[in-house]
Amino acid sequence: MEEDGAVTVYSGSAITDTKKNTFSIKVGIAQMLRGGAIAEVTTVNQAKIAESAGVCCLVVSEPKGPGISRMPDPSLIKEIKQAVALPVMAKARVGHFVEAQILEAIGVDYIDESETLALADEDHFVNKHNFRAPFVCGCRDLGEALRRVREGAAMVRTQGDLSGTGSIVDTVHNVRKVMGDIRILSNMDDDEVFTFSKKIGAPYDIVAQTKQMGRLPVVHFAAGGIVTPADAALMMQLGCDGVFVGSDIFNCSDPYKKVRAIVQAVRNYNDPHILAAASSGLEEAMDGLNLNENRVERFVRDETY
């Protein structure tokens, strides 16, 4: 892990940059978001609604449309930063370190190296130790999560549905897989950790740290298909530290009510009475979030058993 005064090799020359945050500091900054909901926004108005609803952070992205999805327009990020008092996160393409440099230069609080955008590099991720801003990265299993931590991710986002269907099944599957592997690791003998590290393709030292802590060594959020208060509470009860909510949440008649309900669910995820109250009267507010017939995957019942 990077420490103060660490030597970084760049373009064949050795430099020492004491302005870079150490990894432990970046992890501490990300810890500030624990127990909150992060809302994806594409406009200043959405950012203001999310702030008033009580989210802990905003992630700025481009409006969805045809073509290649990239880093959001820096001018939009600046407008949102001026309009709200919340921390602001912005997305960069996987492996696109220049987009990350631009985002850091305009003062974003966090950078999301997001697989939901088009890939810039199919083989390499950004070396996140070369940046002051904390990075967020996605994962689908424990090995992937710990590899991103080794690269310098200060927060891990277990990612589910990427197609915007509103289905939470992939998110639940991936979160359970991560948590299940951590439970298996925690009950292993120390001698077995070497083989387990090799099996999941993760660095031994971080795997050993995960075993000792009984959890991921960084903040762990869930994302994908989280559109109801019950969805958000489910992720929290499965062991996540918080949730990401997609921009589709604003495509309804009352986005404030919807976002506020999810924030309340994250904060009170173990109280079914509060969850019931937060979930009440949302059917009208969810107009536009429900799947239509063309977006529902067809399942054929197997009656051979």
Side-chain angles (χ1 to χ4, degrees):
M1 301 289 179
E2 184 194 45
E3 299 296 340
D4 281 316
V7 176
T8 305
V9 177
Y10 181 74
S11 298
S13 61
I15 59 173
T16 301
D17 188 352
T18 57
K19 295 181 180 179
K20 291 186 175 70
N21 288 344
T22 65
F23 181 71
S24 58
I25 292 175
K26 289 186 280 191
V27 171
I29 294 172
Q31 289 271 357
M32 297 168 62
L33 303 180
R34 288 187 67 183
I38 298 176
E40 180 181 1
V41 299
T42 58
T43 67
V44 174
N45 185 53
Q46 289 179 357
K48 291 179 178 179
I49 292 172
E51 181 182 35
S52 62
V55 302
C56 66
C57 181
L58 302 172
V59 53
V60 182
S61 64
E62 280 191 328
K64 294 179 181 178
I68 300 296
S69 52
R70 301 182 176 86
M71 171 191 75
D73 189 325
S75 63
L76 172 62
I77 299 171
K78 291 178 180 179
E79 287 180 29
I80 290 176
K81 281 183 64 65
Q82 292 175 354
V84 299
L86 291 174
V88 172
M89 183 185 301
K91 294 183 178 183
R93 284 177 281 177
V94 170
H96 206 313
F97 54 84
V98 174
E99 284 189 348
Q101 290 170 358
I102 293 171
L103 293 176
E104 185 170 76
I106 62 176
V108 298
D109 300 287
Y110 303 89
I111 299 173
D112 185 350
E113 188 177 11
S114 179
E115 69 279 8
T116 62
L117 305 181
L119 297 180
D121 192 325
E122 294 182 341
D123 300 316
H124 305 96
F125 283 77
V126 173
N127 182 358
K128 291 161 272 290
H129 291 295
N130 287 337
F131 292 84
R132 294 185 300 275
F135 269 73
V136 182
C137 286
C139 76
R140 292 162 295 181
D141 54 52
L142 180 60
E144 192 173 7
L146 297 184
R147 289 193 295 274
R148 300 293 84 80
V149 173
R150 164 56 77 213
E151 295 160 359
M155 177 193 291
V156 167
R157 164 179 37 79
T158 296
Q159 186 67 50
D161 174 54
L162 296 176
S163 60
T165 62
S167 172
I168 200 172
V169 63
D170 289 338
T171 312
V172 172
H173 174 270
N174 294 340
V175 169
R176 282 192 178 276
K177 182 172 177 56
V178 171
M179 297 302 185
D181 284 345
I182 291 175
R183 286 192 293 271
I184 291 172
L185 173 62
S186 297
N187 291 313
M188 281 183 179
D189 291 334
D190 291 341
D191 293 343
E192 298 174 316
V193 177
F194 293 98
T195 300
F196 184 77
S197 301
K198 183 177 180 180
K199 178 181 176 181
I200 66 174
Y204 168 78
D205 59 329
I206 300 182
V207 175
Q209 183 182 3
T210 303
K211 170 178 166 55
Q212 182 182 21
M213 297 176 67
R215 55 156 294 141
L216 287 177
V218 298
V219 179
H220 178 204
F221 273 52
I226 299 170
V227 296
T228 69
D231 292 340
L234 174 62
M235 294 296 100
M236 299 298 290
Q237 290 194 29
L238 286 175
C240 293
D241 296 314
V243 300
F244 280 79
V245 181
S247 60
D248 289 342
I249 203 76
F250 295 97
N251 298 333
C252 60
S253 59
D254 191 349
Y256 170 82
K257 184 176 182 180
K258 184 67 177 172
V259 178
R260 182 62 183 170
I262 290 178
V263 169
Q264 289 292 97
V266 170
R267 293 175 178 174
N268 304 279
Y269 62 89
N270 272 327
D271 190 327
H273 298 289
I274 294 180
L275 294 177
S279 301
S280 300
L282 291 180
E283 185 172 352
E284 181 180 350
M286 288 178 64
D287 289 346
L289 290 174
N290 296 318
L291 296 178
N292 60 42
E293 188 174 349
N294 295 328
R295 295 172 67 191
V296 176
E297 184 177 356
R298 302 294 182 181
F299 292 90
V300 179
R301 183 179 180 184
D302 185 358
E303 297 182 346
T304 60
Y305 54 88

